[in-house]
């Protein structure tokens, strides 16, 4: 193996000598090629050239695809439109909830009357109050079940 390494170093030295490098740079390249760790690295690279070629091909194809997609304004607009169609209903619902909370807060500050027992009984007939109470009850039941499962 060291004979192969030496031959590779000599071949690399010949290539380096024919290159248009300055004499000092040529000597530096030759010095680098004579180092055992450089020779070992070159051996590893040569042994893995098929894999590196395959990987390079894959990366090139990926790069080409990304470039094509990045420069395709029709596709970008379609993706953008699809995302807007997905996000818009959620955004509208969140805005509606925020507006309702702001309006409810304003009403609370304007109205300073106290709610008594009969007021609470009257509120219990309201379908929205019933729905909220059922939700709260179901939420508390689920929470209790999960706590018991952890034990």
């Amino acid at each position: 193996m060291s004979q192969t390494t030496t031959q590779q170093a000599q071949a690399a030295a010949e290539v380096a000598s024919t290159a248009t490098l300055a004499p000092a740079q040529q000597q530096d390249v030759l010095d680098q090629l004579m180092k055992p760790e450089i020779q070992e690295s070159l051996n590893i690279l040569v042994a893995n050239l098929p894999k590196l070629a395959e990987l390079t091909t894959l990366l090139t194809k990926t790069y080409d695809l990304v470039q094509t997609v990045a420069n395709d304004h029709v596709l970008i607009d379609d993706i953008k439109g699809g995302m807007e169609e997905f996000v818009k209903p959620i955004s509208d619902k969140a805005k509606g909830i925020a507006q309702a909370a702001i309006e409810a807060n304003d009403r609370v500050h304007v109205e300073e009357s106290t709610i008594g027992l009969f007021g609470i009984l009257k509120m219990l007939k309201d379908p929205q109050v019933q729905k909220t109470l059922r939700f709260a009850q179901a939420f508390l039941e689920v929470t209790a079940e999960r706590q018991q499962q952890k034990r």
Side-chain angles (χ1 to χ4, degrees):
M1 178 156 165
S2 69
Q3 196 174 32
T4 305
T5 306
T6 306
Q7 288 173 349
Q8 287 174 346
Q10 289 172 348
E14 289 175 14
V15 170
S17 66
T18 59
T20 58
L21 296 174
Q25 289 176 327
Q26 287 179 352
Q27 189 60 36
D28 187 39
V29 170
L30 290 174
D31 290 342
Q32 289 291 323
L33 289 173
M34 295 308 291
K35 293 180 181 176
E37 61 270 8
I38 299 295
Q39 292 176 2
E40 184 178 336
S41 297
L42 285 172
N43 283 334
I44 293 170
L45 282 173
V46 169
N48 289 312
L49 274 177
K51 291 179 186 176
L52 290 172
E54 186 179 333
L55 182 61
T56 302
T57 304
L58 181 64
L59 286 174
T60 302
K61 287 179 183 178
T62 303
Y63 176 80
D64 291 342
L65 176 67
V66 169
Q67 283 296 102
T68 303
V69 169
N71 293 324
D72 188 355
H73 297 293
V74 173
L75 179 63
I76 291 172
D77 290 340
D78 287 347
I79 292 172
K80 182 180 168 187
M83 292 299 285
E84 286 175 354
E85 287 179 19
F86 177 74
V87 171
K88 186 162 177 52
I90 297 169
S91 174
D92 291 345
K93 193 167 192 170
K95 285 179 184 177
I97 291 171
Q99 288 174 346
I102 291 170
E103 187 178 339
N105 188 37
D106 292 343
R107 286 184 187 183
V108 166
H109 290 314
V110 170
E111 199 173 310
E112 294 185 11
S113 64
T114 58
I115 299 176
L117 180 61
F118 291 112
I120 291 173
L121 291 173
K122 183 178 178 184
M123 283 174 46
L124 286 175
K125 294 180 182 179
D126 184 5
Q128 287 295 331
V129 172
Q130 286 294 316
K131 184 177 178 181
T132 304
L133 290 173
R134 283 193 301 272
F135 175 81
Q137 183 181 16
F139 181 79
L140 292 172
E141 288 172 357
V142 169
T143 305
E145 288 172 4
R146 289 188 180 178
Q147 283 179 349
Q148 285 185 356
Q149 287 177 355
K150 288 182 182 179
R151 291 181 191 173

